[in-house]
Amino acid sequence: MGKNFIVADVGGTHIRTACFSIDSQTPRCVKKISTKGVDAPHERLINLIASIIPVDEEIAAITVAAPGPTDPYEGIIFEAPNIPGWNNLPLKKIIQDRFNVPVAIGNDANLAALGEWRYGAGIGHRHLVYITVSTGIGGGVIIDNQLLLGVRGLAAEFGHITVIPDGPLCGCGQRGHLEAVTSGPAIARWVEQEINQGIPSSLSGCNSLTAKDVSLAAGKGDKLAQAALERSASYLGIAIADYLHIFNPSMVIIGGGVSQSGELFFAPLRTAMREHVLSSKYVEDLILTKASLGDEVGLMGALALAQNLVFPESCQ
Ligand SMILES: [Zn+2]
């Protein structure tokens, strides 16, 4: 009879779950369903978990990576954008009551940091900063091999630091946050604004631009698209210089779709970061790299949380 971890990654469009033997990083089974349906999202999650548990085998822990602000201590989802009903949802208790095994819940970007530290680009780094740049911007920090949580579990909201006072409106309602300047939608929006101002671009006339369109055009030499990536990367570089001053990591990992733009994004990022650090000591041996877990980062982050929960000594 084997022992297993059941892990889940909940997003606005899909819920994924996987079963791992406790000594393996390769899933025995993965299942995916739509988040929305006739029943409530947490009921869909519970049913999916129930369906993936192997018959007559022991479950060591169930863990869930959830979007949005989350209390990892009490296992409460404060709010989850795009998931109806997930406001102050006591998800840990709901799962524990149903399955009667140890359960832990975490914010998905925080857990992505944990996943990259344990299984991905950050293996062997005791101090690292992880930032994901896609539709939104989130992140996580590993300090001395521990995930930084903060008193309410709300630490490392990297997208919501102010980089342009009175700048563009952020999805959170504040102005000038990094997410409002550097995220995928922010990049596309800036290009559209510049085109409307009469700046020439191969993208003019395109409807519903995405950051991917901008990245592809930049790769083909479009000057406006290149300027958009440079602008986005420069603000991220400034923000990372701030994070270096606070956390002094040996590695910074960039995940999310925008990081796929390659050197067109990373070169201006590095330049801005170096220009804004207090001392070259922060960047001399710093490794700035892309995330390595790709689409699996949510499940692998939840797996790392399960390992931490059941084998806490493995974090040392
Ligand atoms: Zn914000």
Side-chain angles (χ1 to χ4, degrees):
M1 219 170 63
K3 261 196 165 188
N4 302 278
F5 291 131
I6 305 295
V7 306
D9 178 22
V10 181
T13 50
H14 291 105
I15 302 172
R16 294 172 75 213
T17 186
C19 175
F20 291 85
S21 295
I22 57 166
D23 54 359
S24 173
Q25 296 165 32
T26 306
R28 295 175 59 184
C29 179
V30 178
K31 288 188 176 184
K32 176 175 149 181
I33 58 168
S34 169
T35 307
K36 285 160 192 155
V38 286
D39 41 357
H42 72 271
E43 287 165 0
R44 298 175 69 73
L45 171 63
I46 294 276
N47 291 337
L48 191 64
I49 289 171
S51 76
I52 204 169
I53 292 176
V55 177
D56 291 336
E57 291 193 34
E58 202 175 325
I59 301 304
I62 299 173
T63 54
V64 181
T70 297
D71 180 340
Y73 306 108
E74 301 296 329
I76 294 169
I77 315 292
F78 289 132
E79 55 179 289
N82 306 318
I83 305 186
W86 282 34
N87 296 303
N88 295 316
L89 180 79
L91 188 62
K92 176 178 167 178
K93 184 175 186 313
I94 291 170
I95 297 174
Q96 237 161 13
D97 287 351
R98 171 69 171 77
F99 297 102
N100 198 27
V101 297
V103 175
I105 312 287
N107 165 269
D108 53 6
N110 269 205
L111 294 190
L114 200 61
E116 288 286 348
W117 165 75
R118 193 182 266 279
Y119 306 116
I123 291 173
H125 287 262
R126 294 183 74 88
H127 307 277
L128 70 80
V129 163
Y130 167 87
I131 305 158
T132 174
V133 185
S134 55
T135 311
I137 295 180
V141 181
I142 304 290
I143 294 285
D144 216 8
N145 284 345
Q146 301 289 327
L147 180 65
L148 177 74
L149 295 173
V151 67
R152 299 297 302 271
L154 301 175
E157 279 292 354
F158 288 143
H160 302 279
I161 61 154
T162 305
V163 291
I164 308 177
D166 302 321
L169 191 63
C170 186
C172 71
Q174 305 274 1
R175 285 199 172 273
H177 283 178
L178 181 66
E179 183 171 298
V181 179
T182 291
S183 67
I187 292 171
R189 198 165 51 234
W190 186 80
V191 169
E192 285 172 347
Q193 283 169 3
E194 294 297 299
I195 288 171
N196 289 340
Q197 297 290 321
I199 307 295
S201 167
S202 61
L203 294 166
S204 59
C206 295
N207 289 322
S208 308
L209 269 185
T210 65
K212 193 169 183 186
D213 299 329
V214 176
S215 180
L216 288 172
K220 290 177 189 159
D222 186 279
K223 292 283 180 271
L224 178 62
Q226 288 176 353
L229 290 184
E230 190 174 328
R231 177 177 183 273
S232 165
S234 297
Y235 279 108
L236 182 60
I238 291 169
I240 288 175
D242 293 342
Y243 309 147
L244 297 183
H245 293 147
I246 299 167
F247 302 114
N248 188 203
S250 57
M251 174 176 269
V252 174
I253 303 172
I254 313 287
V258 175
S259 68
Q260 302 302 317
S261 302
E263 277 307 293
L264 288 167
F265 190 80
F266 276 87
L269 192 166
R270 263 189 236 103
T271 301
M273 179 182 79
R274 291 197 176 115
E275 278 174 5
H276 287 84
V277 284
L278 157 72
S279 156
S280 61
K281 292 290 175 204
Y282 286 97
V283 291
E284 266 172 11
D285 301 316
L286 179 76
I287 299 170
L288 177 73
T289 186
K290 273 201 313 191
S292 71
L293 295 177
D295 292 340
E296 303 306 315
V297 71
L299 291 177
M300 296 308 285
L303 180 64
L305 180 64
Q307 286 283 353
N308 282 7
L309 184 67
V310 176
F311 305 109
E313 70 283 359
S314 69
C315 301
Q316 298 311 310

